[in-house]
Amino acid sequence: MNRFVIADPKLCIGCYTCEVGCVEVHVKVGLVGIPRLTVTHTVAGTMPMQCRHCDDAPCEQVCPVKAITFEDRSIQLNESVCIGCKMCALACPFGVITPYGALPQGETSMTYGGFLQPTPAPVTETPVHALLAWTVGQRTVAVKCDLCHFLPEGPECIRVCPTNALRLVDEETVITSNAERRAASVEAIATGDGLALHHPGL
């Protein structure tokens, strides 16, 4: 089973600290400076959404250049190999792969590539969908959660969350959680609470 990070919407306060921490650690190792998780607000609650590292990952299946691969019980994306075709973003069932264009660190629009860049297109007032947005002279790559695989201590978002709303889920976590729920169900049925739970009229 692949590992992934999940948030508890009952604990998340929507402070965006996880997004900031994510950007900081990725920029330090030369990766694209954009959050690998997105704090999402709905009427029902708030929580960051990020890659679930699906065991049968559709993003890995549709990538035409094998930039997305299965490694160390996770789905990893090599930004250097990515051609920015956006197929993975379309295939992701959770909508957590973001196409993003950025210049390499230390480069400006006037120096990148060793030649003058074309004049950027004027900004339109009508926003374009992220899958269609692009800027002249910038290379778009897919960006997704990589579990901060370059950090020995694991995902930075978990460490910086002030309310401990984020946690890493692995196979051992699922086994322990299932055992606890089975035990709670047996106890509820044995004490009669289970009948009240499933048949409120009894």
Side-chain angles (χ1 to χ4, degrees):
M1 176 190 142
N2 287 346
R3 301 168 294 144
F4 62 96
V5 174
I6 194 167
D8 184 345
K10 295 176 182 174
L11 297 176
C12 179
I13 57 175
C15 66
Y16 296 91
T17 304
C18 53
E19 289 192 7
V20 174
C22 178
V23 171
E24 286 186 347
V25 295
H26 283 86
V27 167
K28 284 180 181 175
V29 295
L31 295 172
V32 173
I34 184 173
R36 271 75 177 162
L37 69 173
T38 304
V39 175
T40 304
H41 302 272
T42 71
V43 174
T46 297
M47 62 183 280
M49 290 296 296
Q50 60 211 95
C51 177
R52 295 293 173 84
H53 296 267
C54 305
D55 283 4
D56 190 17
C59 58
E60 188 265 345
Q61 295 175 26
V62 300
C63 180
V65 295
K66 305 300 180 190
I68 301 177
T69 55
F70 170 78
E71 295 178 33
D72 189 26
R73 292 182 298 137
S74 64
I75 301 298
Q76 296 294 332
L77 188 155
N78 187 332
E79 295 178 8
S80 297
V81 176
C82 177
I83 59 173
C85 71
K86 308 172 187 64
M87 291 301 294
C88 55
L90 293 172
C92 177
F94 297 100
V96 291
I97 298 180
T98 306
Y100 181 75
L103 297 171
Q105 283 187 345
E107 298 284 358
T108 70
S109 62
M110 299 304 289
T111 61
Y112 181 54
F115 53 87
L116 294 177
Q117 298 297 308
T119 303
V123 177
T124 60
E125 295 184 2
T126 305
V128 178
H129 191 279
L131 291 175
L132 301 175
W134 65 286
T135 302
V136 175
Q138 292 191 356
R139 174 175 173 250
T140 296
V141 297
V143 180
K144 64 176 281 300
C145 170
D146 55 9
L147 297 176
C148 296
H149 63 89
F150 47 85
L151 294 178
E153 60 271 30
E156 181 73 1
C157 56
I158 295 176
R159 263 187 309 286
V160 299
C161 178
T163 60
N164 297 317
L166 291 155
R167 63 189 174 101
L168 183 68
V169 177
D170 56 14
E171 190 167 0
E172 185 177 338
T173 306
V174 173
I175 291 172
T176 302
S177 175
N178 284 345
E180 290 174 352
R181 280 182 282 168
R182 284 195 298 269
S185 294
V186 170
E187 189 169 332
I189 292 172
T191 59
D193 291 342
L195 288 176
L197 179 66
H198 297 292
H199 303 283
L202 295 179

